[in-house]
Amino acid sequence: MKEVRNALFDEMYVEDVLDNGLEVVVFHKPLYQTSACLFATPFGSFDCTQVDEDGCLIEYPMGVAHFLEHKLFESVDGDVMSQFAKLGASVNAFTSYDETSYFFTTVDGIEEPLNLLLDFVQSLEICEESVEKEKGIIQEERSLYEQDASSRMSLELYRLMYQNHPLCEDIVGTKESIDAIDVTVLKDAYERNYHPARMRLICVTPYDPSYVIELVRKNQSMKKFGPYKKVTRVVKDGGMRECVFTKLDLNLCEKRLGVGFKQEVVDESSYDRLKRDWCMKMCLDAYFTSVHKAYQSWLDEGLITPYFSVEEVYEEDYAHLLFMDEVEDVEGFKQFVVTRLEDCVKQGIQEDVLEQLKKRALGNFLTMFHSMETLASVVCRTKCRGISLFEEFDLVASLTVECCNQVLRDVCIEDCVVVEIV
């Protein structure tokens, strides 16, 4: 077991790797009553194409990770959610682009719900009949997402910026890909991606870390797993599409607009990529949020609304900047975003503004420590990137004007796409 401490926030966690390869992280919160435990695999919607350690290509229908999430909640002992409820715990799960996570929270004892979490995720019990039934449920879920303005906005922006990239389809999959999923596909995906050596368990709890890790060790010692065969995600992007504008009619009360700028994917370490992301976030916050002195005048003039949002994403397989709002003037909004972004790139960020934004970011980190569920999720996310949470704190604190302005020099403004939803 390894103990990791952070003096600035006075926080501590313990991490260990069990004999079967399962990584366990226990964040100790002795002054709290709530426990949150999250069990995750780095298997998400991007993993429709993988390659094994022998170099063999493996292909799954889009949405298989999300489908598996649904099916794991079935058990011969009855509905898993009901079992957690009887223990006074609340359970849920989510599938993202790069992971599937199962988690519970409780204010009672941790032993029974923790064992239940490990047991139901590590046992796939499905038949063809139940899989066929689930397809109808997931198809309905897909239809709901298609009518959700926020989800659809992001998806349509991605479809303009990327080709043949998993980002271009919803996490749940397409109508055709969902129909193509069967028992054989699900079992193969499960066996390759749910081995303990590929997974992480994150616990945020008032219970002693040694006690929690021993509970997990005992649970895992009673199970047998085959040898772990590593699989790696394969993601390809065919470049931007020729079309740079899409208009959709979803019968909304208010028009939604989105402007996107695809960025170059840089071959760099996870740490440097995260640093690039934080540098860009600081610069965009300096020029597009209430930190800027002209922000209120933009609202007064109708250039933006209180729903205006900006997002930067720098990942291993994709990178872009997104700007979204509920304004009427398509060309005016696009011009506002482009002009402000050009100013940002040319002028850079000022020292006093950067220090203000760094303090705000560190304050948000401090707030996060009071939400057990959020903390567990963030710890898992940073672990998936190969970076510890405390390393991310130090990274933010070390940001300089020079490194932020260096990132701005690489920003691409030419490749602009626009989505209008009415």
Side-chain angles (χ1 to χ4, degrees):
M1 285 190 295
K2 177 184 176 183
E3 185 178 293
V4 182
R5 291 186 176 274
N6 181 271
L8 177 62
F9 292 100
D10 191 25
E11 297 285 349
M12 180 272 285
Y13 66 84
V14 172
E15 56 186 7
D16 200 3
V17 178
L18 306 189
D19 292 340
N20 62 10
L22 176 62
E23 181 180 3
V24 183
V25 178
V26 183
F27 220 104
H28 194 208
K29 303 291 289 182
L31 301 181
Y32 288 75
Q33 288 186 308
T34 302
S35 293
C37 295
L38 182 146
F39 198 18
T41 173
F43 183 58
S45 66
F46 281 8
D47 292 277
C48 48
T49 303
Q50 297 179 319
V51 61
D52 66 18
E53 55 192 20
D54 296 321
C56 296
L57 199 65
I58 307 154
E59 294 189 296
Y60 300 117
M62 288 291 299
V64 68
H66 175 260
F67 207 121
L68 261 179
E69 175 210 316
H70 274 235
K71 298 311 297 175
L72 278 170
F73 274 89
E74 291 185 9
S75 168
V76 293
D77 298 322
D79 177 63
V80 170
M81 288 190 172
S82 298
Q83 295 177 54
F84 273 97
K86 290 178 181 178
L87 298 174
S90 174
V91 66
N92 213 330
F94 65 86
T95 303
S96 67
Y97 295 129
D98 52 13
E99 70 176 294
T100 306
S101 298
Y102 306 82
F103 59 92
F104 74 83
T105 57
T106 182
V107 294
D108 296 323
I110 195 175
E111 181 175 356
E112 289 186 273
L114 179 54
N115 279 321
L116 180 55
L117 176 69
L118 293 168
D119 292 345
F120 95 80
V121 174
Q122 292 183 323
S123 176
L124 178 64
E125 300 164 346
I126 56 173
C127 64
E128 202 65 60
E129 181 182 354
S130 69
V131 170
E132 289 302 313
K133 180 181 178 182
E134 198 69 39
K135 288 180 181 180
I137 297 171
I138 295 177
Q139 293 287 16
E140 289 182 10
E141 184 179 352
R142 182 189 62 82
S143 297
L144 290 174
Y145 284 136
E146 284 191 340
Q147 295 302 310
D148 179 78
S150 297
S151 299
R152 194 66 184 274
M153 172 62 75
S154 298
L155 187 59
E156 294 302 329
L157 285 168
Y158 298 156
R159 286 173 173 170
L160 291 178
M161 291 189 289
Y162 302 91
Q163 287 191 66
N164 304 319
H165 194 290
L167 267 178
C168 297
E169 300 298 342
D170 197 281
I171 288 171
V172 303
T174 66
K175 184 180 185 301
E176 294 74 21
S177 70
I178 294 169
D179 285 339
I181 295 173
D182 57 24
V183 169
T184 301
V185 168
L186 291 170
K187 286 184 176 180
D188 184 81
Y190 180 79
E191 289 172 3
R192 294 181 188 275
N193 292 281
Y194 278 74
H195 191 283
R198 188 166 167 79
M199 301 188 71
R200 288 184 178 86
L201 175 68
I202 313 295
C203 299
V204 182
T205 178
Y207 290 96
D208 184 85
S210 299
Y211 165 71
V212 176
I213 291 175
E214 191 53 42
L215 288 178
V216 180
R217 196 186 311 278
K218 181 179 178 181
N219 177 284
Q220 297 297 281
S221 68
M222 295 185 288
K223 301 173 183 176
K224 292 184 178 180
F225 302 93
Y228 173 53
K229 297 180 180 179
K230 185 179 180 181
V231 289
T232 305
R233 178 183 302 136
V234 178
V235 177
K236 295 181 180 180
D237 175 30
M240 289 190 67
R241 300 180 186 273
E242 293 183 7
C243 175
V244 295
F245 178 77
T246 294
K247 183 175 181 178
L248 297 174
D249 187 354
L250 296 184
N251 196 28
L252 299 178
C253 295
E254 300 289 341
K255 182 185 291 187
R256 302 285 182 94
L257 294 177
V259 178
F261 301 86
K262 187 176 181 179
Q263 302 300 302
E264 182 182 357
V265 173
V266 181
D267 184 13
E268 57 189 351
S269 68
S270 295
Y271 182 89
D272 288 340
R273 190 177 303 111
L274 182 61
K275 184 176 182 179
R276 179 182 297 273
D277 194 298
W278 269 107
C279 285
M280 195 67 223
K281 175 177 173 54
M282 294 296 179
C283 294
L284 292 178
D285 282 356
Y287 279 83
F288 287 95
T289 71
S290 58
V291 173
H292 196 281
K293 61 182 180 181
Y295 184 80
Q296 186 59 49
S297 67
W298 301 337
L299 290 170
D300 295 339
E301 295 169 20
L303 296 174
I304 61 171
T305 77
Y307 301 104
F308 175 72
S309 66
V310 56
E311 176 186 355
E312 85 297 332
V313 176
Y314 288 89
E315 295 291 351
E316 184 178 3
D317 309 304
Y318 60 103
H320 53 249
L321 311 177
L322 300 182
F323 303 82
M324 291 177 274
D325 205 351
E326 296 183 7
V327 292
E328 292 293 325
D329 186 358
V330 178
E331 194 56 40
F333 180 66
K334 176 185 174 182
Q335 191 57 49
F336 166 77
V337 170
V338 171
T339 301
R340 295 300 307 145
L341 192 54
E342 287 175 341
D343 289 345
C344 178
V345 171
K346 291 176 182 177
Q347 300 173 17
I349 193 170
Q350 302 301 310
E351 181 77 42
D352 58 334
V353 176
L354 176 60
E355 290 305 312
Q356 178 185 350
L357 289 169
K358 284 164 61 175
K359 290 177 181 178
R360 177 188 291 185
L362 293 172
N364 290 335
F365 281 136
L366 185 60
T367 302
M368 177 187 65
F369 287 117
H370 300 294
S371 171
M372 306 300 100
E373 191 175 312
T374 300
L375 182 55
S377 180
V378 173
V379 170
C380 185
R381 174 180 57 81
T382 56
K383 279 287 183 180
C384 285
R385 288 178 168 176
I387 300 167
S388 77
L389 182 62
F390 295 155
E391 284 177 318
E392 185 167 359
F393 296 166
D394 294 339
L395 184 157
V396 173
S398 69
L399 294 180
T400 64
V401 168
E402 290 73 25
C403 71
C404 289
N405 291 339
Q406 178 62 48
V407 168
L408 287 175
R409 296 188 185 100
D410 297 328
V411 171
C412 176
I413 304 178
E414 289 74 24
D415 295 329
C416 174
V417 300
V418 178
V419 172
E420 178 185 4
I421 299 181
V422 297

